[in-house]
Amino acid sequence: MVSIRSAPAAPFPQPDPRRVLRERYVRVADALGEDPTRLLAWSVARGVESALWSADHDDEAGGAEELAEAQLLAGLAGAAL
């Protein structure tokens, strides 16, 4: 178990978030016995949903940021958004 003090930094501000995210999704997928692409696809769907909710609640900047993150995840999953 990772303690809060030793927890890795947030992936999106990293110089190469794709590498960090790919490693994390593979690690979690292995632990769960799931396909990393399936986990990524779920994350994309939730990210888009969150972006739409933010935009609908007058937070267009937050929605745009969430959508950009969902696009990055979609790229890792092999999909275009």
Side-chain angles (χ1 to χ4, degrees):
M1 186 165 162
V2 176
S3 74
I4 293 189
R5 290 199 169 119
S6 66
F12 291 103
Q14 300 297 315
D16 185 7
R18 288 172 182 83
R19 181 188 60 77
V20 173
L21 287 164
R22 188 177 300 112
E23 291 172 1
R24 290 182 186 179
Y25 272 86
V26 167
R27 186 177 303 143
V28 170
D30 285 345
L32 296 173
E34 288 289 343
D35 178 6
T37 304
R38 181 177 180 192
L39 299 180
L40 282 161
W42 183 86
S43 295
V44 170
R46 289 291 295 129
V48 170
E49 180 183 33
S50 182
L52 291 171
W53 188 92
S54 293
D56 190 49
H57 289 82
D58 298 323
D59 184 12
E60 286 89 14
E65 183 177 336
E66 291 167 337
L67 190 57
E69 291 172 0
Q71 284 180 302
L72 191 143
L73 294 171
L76 288 176
L81 186 64

